[in-house]
Structures are given as C-alpha cells and as structure tokens.
Amino acid sequence: TGTNLPRVGRSNGIESDHETSAITNEMTAEEIATSLKMARDYLADLDIPEHPDIAEIRRDAESGDSHAQRMLSQLYFEGHTTLIRDDEQGLAWVRKAAEQGEAGAQYDLAMVYLRKGYNLDEKDEKLAKEWLLKSARGGYSKAQHVLSDHVMETGDVAKSEEWRRKSALQGYAPAQYAIGLNYLYNHDNASEAYKWVNLSPSYDREEWKTIVEMMTGVEVLTAQRESAAIMVFTLRRIQAAFRSTSPEKGRRFCDCRLLFEKRLSYPRR
C-alpha cells in the first residue's frame, strides 16, 4: 500500500524539536510500543474497500474522478465478484487516471510498463521510469520507495536516501524498515536503526533483538519517543490528505490520531 500525501516540510519528519520531549516522561518503552502498534494497525489498508460500490465507482470514474478511475482499473485488473477481469479496460482506466495526475495510478502504470504486464507487447523501462518519477514527485510513498532503489543503482546515494525518507515519513513500512537497516549496517547507529525499524509493522524480530541488545534502556526509551513523534507527524499528514479525497477515512484517521496522542499525552491540535 502506498499513500498519496502532501509533501514533507521538515526533512527529519518531526515538526519541531521540542515535540519529541513533549511525550510524557512517565511512559515506559513498552507502553509507547503498544501505542505505536495501535497506530500501525490503522495504517494497514488505505486502498480499495472490502465491499466496493462498483456502480458508484464507475459513475464517478466516467464523470472524470481520477481516484475512482484508478479504483475501477484495479477492479478490472484483479476481477471482482460482480466484475469480470478485463486487462484492456483496466489499462485504459489507469491511463486516464495517470494522465490526470493521480499519483497512485501513475505508479500502477509504471509497474505495468516495467513488468510487461496486462497484455502489453513488451516492457518499456524508459516510460516506466518516467511515470515512476511523476508518481514519486506527486507524493506517492510506494513510488518514492521504488524510485529510491532505482536511484541507488545509479550510485547517487544521497538522492536515493532522500526519496526513501520521503516515503518513510508517509508511513510506508518497507521504507521505514530499509532506513533502519541502513543505519544499523552501514552507519553502525543502533538508536537511529531502532527508531525507524520500530515504525514498521513487519520488522524481523531477530533483527529487532539484535538492535535492542546494542542499546541501553535510556537509548531504547529515547528512540521509542522519537518513533512516536514521527508517527504523530505521519498520522496528521494522512488525516490532512484524506479531508479532501476521502472524508470517511479522514474521520477514521482523526479518531486514530487523537487516541494515539491522548495515550502519549501529546500536544493537541
């Protein structure tokens, strides 16, 4: 899952330096970890609803709604109980959405060209990278993460890490995990590694234990607080993005954010 959110302001992902220390000092690392897990659960699925209203999606897509066009394309690509799989229709709709600037659709189209999928005669890596860059610049977190890998292959480490961080600050777990491992193995910085790995819901338990064993109790607690501050920043951005694109999801994330911040005694907005 990727997220299409406004661009990040501060590069470290925390809106002001005092916000990390604003998390209550009385909370233990374990209590903060429990709160982080709760927030991660809310970030698990941001895409097609379990029981989509296909008629409504089609109506919105035909009226020019790029988000609906992308959803319709995904339904055609994957097939649905009331919609027969049709790769040609899926490709047509994802192109419409991508050409309108829908960052998620631009990523989907890039992957089609890159993987020679959905009945294309041949893959087109040049076109794939063009759409991938558009998607990443549009704020789609998964595209930013994938682009980071492509940029790394060119040897531009700084640019690659910049794209990875942009993705991680939007809550994309693979990017968060990759940053954590980079700090651990390439920079020998267990505290920074723990802070980022701790945000990822699918981290390897053995890797996590290795990191913790290298840290003092104070370092663990400090890293937990920094993880929590990044999570607050991420939830606030997701809520802001969904206010216009999906009010229902916006309300759900507002509830999540307020509960998370309440548990952390975090300054409210």
Side-chain angles (χ1 to χ4, degrees):
T1 300
T3 0
N4 183 13
L5 304 176
R7 295 180 181 176
V8 179
R10 289 172 57 94
S11 61
N12 65 355
I14 302 173
E15 295 173 40
S16 58
D17 294 332
H18 75 275
E19 290 198 352
T20 301
S21 59
I23 297 174
T24 179
N25 292 328
E26 283 72 29
M27 290 189 73
T28 66
E30 183 177 354
E31 288 170 335
I32 296 177
T34 300
S35 297
L36 281 168
K37 183 180 184 305
M38 176 208 74
R40 288 196 302 260
D41 289 343
Y42 276 89
L43 294 173
D45 184 12
L46 307 182
D47 290 324
I48 294 179
E50 186 177 355
H51 302 291
D53 185 335
I54 294 177
E56 181 180 354
I57 292 172
R58 183 185 297 279
R59 184 169 58 250
D60 290 344
E62 291 174 347
S63 69
D65 186 319
S66 62
H67 181 64
Q69 290 171 344
R70 185 199 179 199
M71 292 179 69
L72 187 59
S73 76
Q74 291 175 325
L75 289 166
Y76 270 121
F77 282 144
E78 298 168 8
H80 193 266
T81 53
T82 59
L83 193 69
I84 298 173
R85 176 173 172 170
D86 186 329
D87 292 347
E88 186 176 340
Q89 281 290 319
L91 189 55
W93 282 111
V94 78
R95 276 181 173 146
K96 286 179 182 290
E99 288 167 358
Q100 286 202 79
E102 177 74 22
Q106 291 170 338
Y107 172 81
D108 295 343
L109 190 55
M111 292 301 101
V112 170
Y113 283 118
L114 192 62
R115 297 169 180 167
K116 190 184 171 182
Y118 304 125
N119 298 329
L120 286 177
D121 292 333
E122 59 184 20
K123 67 180 181 180
D124 188 329
E125 292 188 5
K126 182 176 182 294
L127 201 52
K129 289 180 179 179
E130 288 177 5
W131 282 112
L132 186 63
L133 182 59
K134 287 180 181 180
S135 178
R137 286 175 172 169
Y140 193 64
S141 61
K142 194 170 184 178
Q144 292 167 342
H145 177 63
V146 173
L147 183 61
S148 173
D149 289 334
H150 285 283
V151 172
M152 183 65 77
E153 292 175 2
T154 70
D156 191 341
V157 176
K159 193 64 177 178
S160 173
E161 291 183 350
E162 179 184 339
W163 281 117
R164 189 92 68 196
R165 184 173 290 265
K166 285 178 181 291
S167 176
L169 291 175
Q170 296 195 80
Y172 191 59
Q176 294 166 339
Y177 188 68
I179 289 175
L181 295 190
N182 181 47
Y183 273 116
L184 181 64
Y185 294 116
N186 297 328
H187 300 282
D188 195 27
N189 189 329
S191 295
E192 281 294 309
Y194 182 91
K195 178 175 76 177
W196 288 101
V197 169
N198 192 46
L199 289 166
S200 172
S202 56
Y203 58 71
D204 184 283
R205 296 298 299 181
E206 292 305 314
E207 296 278 10
W208 184 80
K209 288 178 182 177
T210 299
I211 296 171
V212 171
E213 287 170 359
M214 299 169 65
M215 300 169 66
T216 66
V218 172
E219 289 173 334
V220 169
L221 182 56
T222 299
Q224 283 279 30
R225 289 176 179 152
E226 291 177 352
S227 294
I230 292 173
M231 181 63 82
V232 168
F233 179 79
T234 298
L235 292 175
R236 286 176 177 175
R237 295 183 72 239
I238 290 175
Q239 180 190 342
F242 281 144
R243 280 198 190 105
S244 58
T245 61
S246 178
E248 181 181 348
K249 288 181 180 178
R251 286 191 293 272
R252 179 160 62 91
F253 276 93
C254 180
D255 292 342
C256 170
R257 178 178 69 81
L258 291 176
L259 178 58
F260 183 62
E261 295 180 17
K262 180 179 180 181
R263 292 183 65 145
L264 295 175
S265 298
Y266 210 83
R268 294 282 159 61
R269 281 190 176 178

